[in-house]
């Protein structure tokens, strides 16, 4: 047995033993031993592999050298062809005099064998050997004259040559000649030959290393096989087989797939295995299911007690390796009939452990307080109770801390539905004598083994107590639901059909079960509180209503994720000039941090949009702000997650021109539905997410006809369980295409009905806008010359336009505003200048000029002769400001058309005139 299943202890080294080992080593490496045969085969295979690898390296080196030569020749030829003066030298009286020195200098610097320049007829102007100048170049130069680059191997004046031929272009793109550069094949081969010592040296080193490794493997195999030959190994296996089947202990070997590999006679007898058991899954051999599960699992087991018919087996199992290293397990079975007296208790303990194990997987599967309470009652019935109820302190259901002793019946489950127990939803305040009150107050379990003999519990409700006893309920356990030193309610278990009453063992088991359920309920309570806080915070940070504007009709939808409110957001921001900005964004993560971060980003976008920045510039500023937030957070050493990775899409629509300019930072582009129901997803240059930086953000500009619908969304709408991004875009395209002539509100609802699940895995934000174009008759424009006399003319024409619009009541203030703005543009701005009036929801006056200097409102000093114009504009305009364009700036002012603006709280005419009271005359 020792020689077969284990290692015998070796005697101390002696001279005779050392000599014996040397002889054994020499004998074991002979071709007759297994180790010797393996050594010989491995050496032959290694030699073949090294020869093949060396040949491949030499061939690859030749190919690489030739390709390197072609690449260098192409680069040198292109550089020479496009260098200053090459094209002009081709038209000189003596091109050779100019180009030959330059070609030779280039050839020597580039370590090439030749650089040849020829005209478009293939006649050489240069060559390393002057006698070949004036002769036709040896190259396929005709395609090169047409603008192509040709690489080839030819037989030239210097022998076999590897060369590249490129065109010489003029400034207008025409070809005036060709440049041919390259190396001789002998030079290329020489480079390969210089690498041969390294290749052969590496091969020799690999051969030595492989031979040494093979020798080590052979030595290892020799030590493991003890230098035995095949016949000796066969005899050893026969001895092993005889011993295996003669021992009085069952032995089984099972592979990693749960199939029986080997079973000795004793194992077959103990488990009553069929004759053809080997090779079949152990779960199909009629073995007791628990024992079969252990053997198939391969887990470690020590003296586990299993029943096998009338026998009680002690099972030990360990992992092993067999048949060349495949994983498996070996199990030994010992008949322990003397332990039968303990089998009943073992079954009970195993049953309870199984119950607790299953409770861990079936109770607390969701973060919902009511659902967790229901799972507890459904699990207890009918396993060990006939009825189960859970009563929770009312604030716990809302996610708050438990306050008071009034409880609400949260869950009830029983083997029958006609029970007399209180129903779900009833508010209960247990009296002091009730077991629930005693257990809730003391924080411990209360057992009432026989309800018919104990009268204290009946004081709570005499009528209901009589109904319970009459119904047949005879035993009860009530246990407080307590977690983290907080008692949230009580769980009560009742028996009626089961004749045996609850005992102390049942109390211990039930306490363990309820303790686990209490932790799950407390986790659900905390989650409910945080989810409600996050959802409230997020909804308070999202737009409560959409602003009034004329550019487009807008509708929106928002749905928080199942895991909690996140950082998805949207916004509609009116901009000067009747324009409007649409924004959607997504902050990584869920919970309070994501909601607060969303609020910070939304506020930042509002602030940046007040500067009237283009989309790309606004997102660049937002990216820098996010990076600064993360840096400040890292410097403060907080463990809150960073903002980097948030995404945003920002679009500006101009109803005058119908253009929509947008840019994205890690966010998917919008869907555009044209008036004919064609749905497109325009290519919006995708920049990196916010906070990552490193790449510039680019914009895309679209021309949108009136009535087009623009759908901006977050990826939670597209991605869902079993649906990837491309599939989601296809569903969105089909949905939008099937909604012709729908309002944005109807479109939002239809998209949500089709694509949004009731419990999405991520937040969903959707913004749908239908575009309008401003009536061209409501736009008036004038060119503003740099002549002060033009101010009166444009002012009079503007007054006429206002009369045509029926806006005579704002004519005076509009003329005043235009006069001041035009005068400032002529005096301080630069050409070109223009004036524009827009009649929208408000009357908008715009004066544009080519200067980027922005005016500032100030109070003029007593000695100033001017500086009061913007003061007047600020008094009579509802809003005014400056926005910058690629060619300058625009000063704008808005006036309401419903009720005129009272300047600064009804500033009187005398107060305005006081601005000029310090000017004499």
């Amino acid at each position: 047995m020792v020689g077969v299943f284990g290692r015998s202890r070796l005697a101390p080294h002696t001279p005779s033993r050392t000599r014996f080992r040397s002889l054994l080593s020499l004998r074991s490496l002979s071709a007759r031993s297994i180790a010797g045969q393996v050594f010989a085969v491995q050496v032959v295979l290694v030699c073949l592999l090294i020869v093949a690898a060396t040949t491949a390296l030499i061939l690859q080196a030749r190919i690489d050298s030739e390709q390197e030569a072609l690449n260098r020749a192409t680069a040198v030829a292109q550089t020479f062809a496009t260098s200053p003066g090459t094209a002009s030298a081709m038209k000189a009286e003596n091109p050779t005099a100019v180009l030959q020195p330059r070609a030779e200098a280039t050839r020597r610097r580039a370590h090439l064998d030749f650089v040849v320049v020829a005209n478009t007829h293939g006649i050489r102007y240069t060559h390393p050997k002057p006698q070949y100048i004036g002769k036709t170049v040896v190259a396929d130069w005709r395609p090169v004259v047409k603008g192509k680059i040709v690489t080839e191997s030819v037989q030239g004046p210097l022998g076999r040559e590897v060369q590249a031929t490129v065109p010489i272009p003029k400034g207008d793109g025409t070809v005036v000649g060709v440049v041919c550069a390259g190396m001789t094949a002998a030079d290329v081969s020489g480079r390969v030959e210089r690498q041969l010592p390294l290749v052969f040296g590496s091969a020799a080193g690999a051969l030595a290393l492989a031979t040494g490794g093979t020798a080590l493997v052979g030595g290892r195999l020799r030590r493991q096989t003890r230098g035995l030959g095949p016949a000796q190994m066969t005899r050893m296996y026969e001895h092993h087989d005889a011993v295996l089947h003669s021992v009085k202990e069952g032995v089984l070997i099972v592979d990693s797939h749960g199939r029986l590999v080997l079973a000795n006679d004793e194992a077959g007898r103990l488990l009553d295995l069929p004759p053809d058991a080997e090779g079949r899954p152990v779960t199909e051999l009629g073995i007791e299911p628990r024992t079969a599960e252990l053997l198939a699992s391969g887990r470690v087991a020590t003296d586990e007690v299993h029943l096998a018919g009338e026998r009680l087996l002690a099972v030990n199992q360990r992992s092993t390796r067999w048949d060349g290293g495949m994983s498996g397990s070996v199990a030994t079975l010992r008949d322990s009939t003397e332990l039968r007296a303990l089998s009943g208790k073992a079954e009970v303990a195993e049953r309870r452990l199984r119950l607790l194990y299953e409770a861990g997987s079936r109770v607390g599967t969701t973060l919902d307080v009511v659902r967790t309470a229901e799972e507890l009652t459904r699990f207890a019935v009918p396993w060990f109770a006939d009825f189960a109820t859970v009563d929770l302190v009312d604030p716990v259901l809302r996610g708050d801390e438990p306050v008071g002793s009034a409880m609400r019946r949260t869950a009830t489950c029983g083997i029958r539905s006609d029970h007399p127990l209180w129903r779900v939803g009833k508010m209960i305040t247990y009296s002091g004598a009730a077991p629930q009150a005693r257990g809730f107050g003391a924080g411990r379990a209360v057992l009432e083994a026989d309800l018919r003999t104990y009268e204290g519990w009946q004081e709570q409700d005499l009528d209901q107590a009589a109904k319970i006893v009459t119904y047949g309920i005879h035993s009860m356990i009530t246990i407080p639901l307590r977690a983290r030193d907080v008692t949230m309610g009580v769980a009560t278990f009742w028996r009626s059909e089961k004749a045996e009453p609850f005992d102390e063992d049942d109390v211990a088991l039930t306490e363990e079960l309820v303790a686990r359920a209490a932790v799950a309920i407390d986790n659900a309570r905390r989650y409910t509180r945080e989810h409600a806080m996050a959802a409230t915070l997020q909804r308070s940070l999202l737009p409560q209503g959409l602003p009034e504007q004329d550019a487009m009709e807008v509708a929106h939808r928002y749905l928080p994720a199942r895991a909690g409110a996140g950082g998805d957001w949207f916004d509609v921001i009116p901009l000067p000039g009747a324009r409007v900005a649409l924004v959607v964004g997504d902050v990584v993560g869920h919970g309070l941090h994501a909601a607060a971060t969303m609020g910070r980003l939304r506020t930042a976008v509002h602030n940046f949009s007040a500067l009237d920045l283009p989309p790309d510039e606004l997102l660049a500023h937002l990216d820098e702000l996010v990076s600064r937030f993360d840096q400040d957070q890292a410097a403060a050493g907080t463990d809150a997650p960073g903002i980097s990775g948030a995404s945003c899409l920002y679009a500006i629509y101009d109803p005058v021109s119908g253009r929509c300019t947008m840019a994205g930072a890690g966010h998917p582009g919008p869907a555009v539905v044209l008036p004919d129901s064609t749905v497109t997803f325009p290519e919006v240059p995708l920049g990196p997410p916010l906070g990552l930086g490193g790449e510039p953000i680019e914009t895309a500009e679209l021309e949108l006809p009136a009535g087009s619908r623009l759908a901006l969304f977050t990826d939670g709408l597209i991605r869902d369980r079993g649906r990837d991004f491309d599939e989601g875009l296809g569903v969105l395209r089909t949905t939008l295409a099937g909604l012709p002539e729908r309002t944005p509100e109807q479109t939002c609802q239809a998209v949500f009905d089709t694509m949004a699940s009731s419990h999405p895995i991520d937040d969903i934000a959707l913004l749908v806008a239908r575009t309008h174009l401003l009536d061209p008759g409501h736009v008036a424009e004038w060119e503003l010359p740099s002549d002060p006399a033009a101010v009166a003319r444009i002012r009079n024409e503007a007054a006429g336009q206002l009369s045509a619009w029926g806006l005579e009541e704002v004519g005076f203030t509009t003329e005043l505003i235009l006069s001041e703005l035009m005068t400032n543009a002529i005096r301080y701005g630069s050409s070109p200048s223009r004036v524009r009036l827009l009649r929208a929801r408000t009357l908008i006056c715009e004066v544009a000029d080519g200067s980027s200097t922005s005016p500032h409102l100030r109070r003029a000093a007593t000695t100033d002769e001017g500086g009061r114009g913007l003061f007047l504009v600020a008094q009579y305009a509802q809003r005014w400001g400056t926005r910058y364009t690629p060619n300058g700036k625009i000063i704008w002012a808005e006036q309401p058309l419903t009720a005129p603006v009272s300047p600064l709280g009804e500033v009187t005419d005398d107060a305005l005139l006081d601005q000029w009271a310090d000017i004499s005359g």
Side-chain angles (χ1 to χ4, degrees), residues 541 569 571 597-609:
L541 294 174
W569 54 285
D571 222 330
T597 301
M598 176 272 289
R600 297 168 74 182
L601 293 184
R602 180 171 178 249
T603 301
V605 170
H606 267 272
N607 292 336
F608 288 140
S609 65

Side-chain angles (χ1 to χ4, degrees), residues 486-526:
V486 175
T487 304
M488 299 171 289
V490 292
T492 307
F493 305 94
W494 320 73
R495 278 186 180 175
S496 61
E497 298 294 326
K498 294 179 174 63
E500 65 276 8
F502 288 116
D503 56 22
E504 292 297 333
D505 290 340
D506 293 321
V507 172
L509 173 65
T510 311
E511 282 182 326
E512 178 93 18
L513 173 64
V514 172
R516 298 187 181 190
V519 173
I521 290 176
D522 190 53
N523 290 338
R525 177 187 67 83
R526 291 168 177 261

Side-chain angles (χ1 to χ4, degrees), residues 815-856:
E815 291 182 40
L816 177 62
I817 291 171
L818 284 176
S819 295
E820 296 301 333
L821 296 183
M822 288 189 293
T823 302
N824 282 341
I826 294 173
R827 181 176 298 176
Y828 304 110
S830 60
S831 298
S833 301
R834 60 182 177 84
V835 179
R836 185 168 74 166
L837 286 180
L838 300 177
R839 180 186 178 182
R841 186 175 298 271
T842 60
L843 180 63
I844 304 170
C845 304
E846 295 182 347
V847 176
D849 66 81
S851 171
S852 60
T853 303
S854 176
H856 296 282

Side-chain angles (χ1 to χ4, degrees), residues 47 89 267 448 475 503 534 584 591 673 682 762 819 837 854:
C47 291
E448 299 298 340
S475 186
D503 56 22
V584 290
V673 186
D762 194 7
S819 295
L837 286 180
S854 176

Side-chain angles (χ1 to χ4, degrees), residues 281-317:
V282 293
T283 55
E284 300 177 2
L285 299 178
I287 304 174
E288 195 272 339
R290 180 168 168 264
T291 306
E293 182 273 330
L294 171 64
L295 297 175
S297 67
R299 62 180 174 84
V300 175
T302 302
D303 287 337
E304 280 196 17
V305 179
H306 289 254
L307 283 173
E310 297 297 326
R311 302 183 183 91
L312 197 64
L313 304 180
V315 182
N316 291 271
Q317 184 166 266

Side-chain angles (χ1 to χ4, degrees), residues 3-40:
V4 175
F5 296 105
R7 293 184 177 180
S8 60
R9 181 174 299 174
L10 298 178
H13 288 282
T14 61
S16 60
R17 188 175 183 85
T18 303
R19 287 194 297 271
F20 175 78
R21 284 193 170 188
S22 300
L23 293 174
L24 180 61
S25 176
L26 292 175
R27 182 180 66 84
S28 63
L29 288 178
S30 66
R32 300 174 61 182
S33 68
I34 294 177
Q37 294 174 9
V38 171
F39 178 82

Side-chain angles (χ1 to χ4, degrees), residues 331-353:
T332 60
L333 312 175
R334 187 173 67 254
D335 192 354
S336 302
T337 308
E338 65 274 11
L339 300 178
R340 286 183 181 178
L342 302 177
S343 61
K345 292 185 178 180
E347 286 183 5
V348 172
E350 189 272 339
R351 175 175 172 271
R352 291 179 174 177
L353 288 176

